[in-house]
Amino acid sequence: MSTLDTSSTGLQALLSPGTARSAVLPVVRQRVSALEPTLARICCYHLGFTDERGDPAGAGSGKLTRAALMTTAAEGVGLRPEDVRTQAAALELLHNSTLVHDDIIDADELRRGRPAAWKVFGASLAILAGDALQALSLQMVVDDPGPGRAEVSSAFAEALRLVLSGQSREFTVRLGSGADIAAYDRIVEEKTSALLVCALVTPALRAGRPERVLAALRGAGRHLGLAFQILNDVEDIWGDPAVTGKPVRGDIRRRNPSFPVLAALAADSPVGERLRGLWHGDGTAAAHLQEMADLVEESGGRHTAERVSRGHLDSALEHLGRAELAPAASAELAVQFDRIVNRTT
């Protein structure tokens, strides 16, 4: 593809999720298939390319959210989607490495509606598969000969460092007694926002855009991650498993202090006190979890979470407006931001 249709209609057709999928998935499949055979089999299963026997499968491979953001941001800074295709594929691999590891850490048995990789192949091999995806991701950006290679490689390494830091910090908050919104925000900025920031800034780094543009894109990614994660926490408690691909109330069962819970626990009321007592107990029966969910909602935790998520989305769009991107690409990114946070089609 040598030219881009920069009209709004043409851009939407070019950079639809299906287009990002067709551009990036072949790269992902090719690179993962070249891994050591056992690791390749596990990674291909996790990505939905194959079933547990290694036969072709029609399972979903994810929404390629970060790849779509990166290819759209590329047009915004005067690049073509193929100019960042390798980086977009690498970021999807890095993201999926965190999913493989998260499922093990959280003992989540389902991923995208089917058994998680660790349930099929065992935790030890799944850990190695996640590590292999991380190494492959970094190798892809380091080996790419395009402009801004050093800066992009540094951005990927920093994103990985932040994700690992956030994962470690989450254990401290989960087990400690001082969990609050500020601690929650920091974890989300590291675990979730870091990869979204990487998706948005990578094209600007390749295009040599100035620091003010990078700062605006970093701000957009930071707030987008917070908006997404807070609403994702709402879905964990009250969402539809057919949409999320996981059973509801996993965070409550693990006593993982998600945003609605933190907001509810902060409420100075008898309801908040009742919730606090149940939270520090060890009940995991369905009725116990349902009661906690009801108390979170009665305490205003759900309403507060939805309101704060909307505020972060508005802030993300404000930062996006300061990023000096081509208007059509900026408009398409705004649509993608809403789709990410609200799971709109």
Side-chain angles (χ1 to χ4, degrees), residues 14-307:
L14 176 65
L15 298 179
S16 66
T19 302
R21 181 177 300 275
S22 65
V24 172
L25 271 188
V27 179
V28 170
R29 186 188 294 269
Q30 177 187 27
R31 299 304 295 261
V32 168
S33 297
L35 290 171
E36 184 275 331
T38 297
L39 297 177
R41 180 183 174 190
I42 299 169
C43 293
C44 284
Y45 171 84
H46 168 78
L47 290 163
F49 298 148
T50 60
D51 62 19
E52 63 273 14
R53 297 179 299 275
D55 297 327
S61 54
K63 298 178 181 178
L64 300 185
T65 295
R66 290 145 196 84
L69 288 175
M70 191 182 294
T71 52
T72 307
E75 196 279 336
V77 296
L79 301 177
R80 300 168 300 173
E82 55 261 41
D83 292 330
V84 295
R85 180 166 48 199
T86 297
Q87 290 72 24
L91 190 57
E92 288 297 334
L93 293 179
L94 185 55
H95 168 59
N96 275 277
S97 77
T98 70
L99 300 183
V100 172
H101 288 160
D102 276 353
D103 287 343
I104 299 169
I105 291 169
D106 294 336
D108 278 338
E109 298 185 358
L110 292 178
R111 168 64 60 184
R112 298 171 186 140
R114 64 178 188 163
W118 72 273
K119 286 296 293 181
V120 177
F121 301 99
S124 297
L125 281 173
I127 290 170
L128 293 176
D131 292 346
L133 290 175
Q134 289 182 0
L136 178 58
S137 171
L138 295 179
Q139 180 183 8
M140 288 169 66
V141 296
V142 168
D143 289 349
D144 185 78
R149 176 173 61 176
E151 293 80 5
V152 171
S153 298
S154 179
F156 268 71
E158 174 68 0
L160 176 56
R161 183 191 70 80
L162 289 172
V163 168
L164 297 175
S165 175
Q167 183 67 74
S168 175
R169 203 181 307 280
E170 187 174 42
F171 279 110
T172 304
V173 171
R174 182 181 300 172
L175 298 176
S177 59
D180 59 18
I181 298 300
Y184 172 94
D185 285 353
R186 184 169 183 181
I187 291 169
V188 173
E189 288 169 12
E190 293 175 334
K191 279 195 66 178
T192 304
S193 296
L195 295 183
L196 297 172
V197 168
C198 189
L200 293 170
V201 304
T202 290
L205 290 171
R206 286 182 71 81
R209 288 302 177 96
E211 175 58 30
R212 66 179 182 276
V213 171
L214 298 174
L217 291 171
R218 291 188 195 103
R222 172 181 173 271
H223 285 286
L224 177 61
L226 285 161
F228 164 76
Q229 187 59 59
I230 291 170
L231 210 57
N232 185 262
D233 288 352
V234 172
E235 285 188 330
D236 178 83
I237 302 175
W238 298 284
D240 181 357
V243 175
T244 65
K246 291 188 175 186
V248 293
R249 303 188 185 97
D251 283 337
I252 293 180
R253 176 175 51 81
R254 294 187 296 269
R255 301 305 194 268
N256 185 21
S258 61
F259 191 97
V261 171
L262 289 173
L265 288 174
D268 185 14
S269 68
V271 174
E273 285 301 316
R274 171 63 177 161
L275 173 61
R276 195 170 291 107
L278 292 173
W279 183 263
H280 292 297
D282 56 3
T284 58
H288 194 96
L289 300 181
Q290 179 67 58
E291 183 179 2
M292 283 198 286
D294 292 343
L295 290 171
V296 170
E297 185 157 20
E298 188 176 347
S299 298
R302 180 176 187 173
H303 174 76
T304 299
E306 291 171 344
R307 174 178 56 80

Side-chain angles (χ1 to χ4, degrees), residues 1-19:
M1 184 186 309
S2 59
T3 61
L4 287 173
D5 180 352
T6 56
S7 68
S8 177
T9 302
L11 183 67
Q12 289 173 1
L14 176 65
L15 298 179
S16 66
T19 302

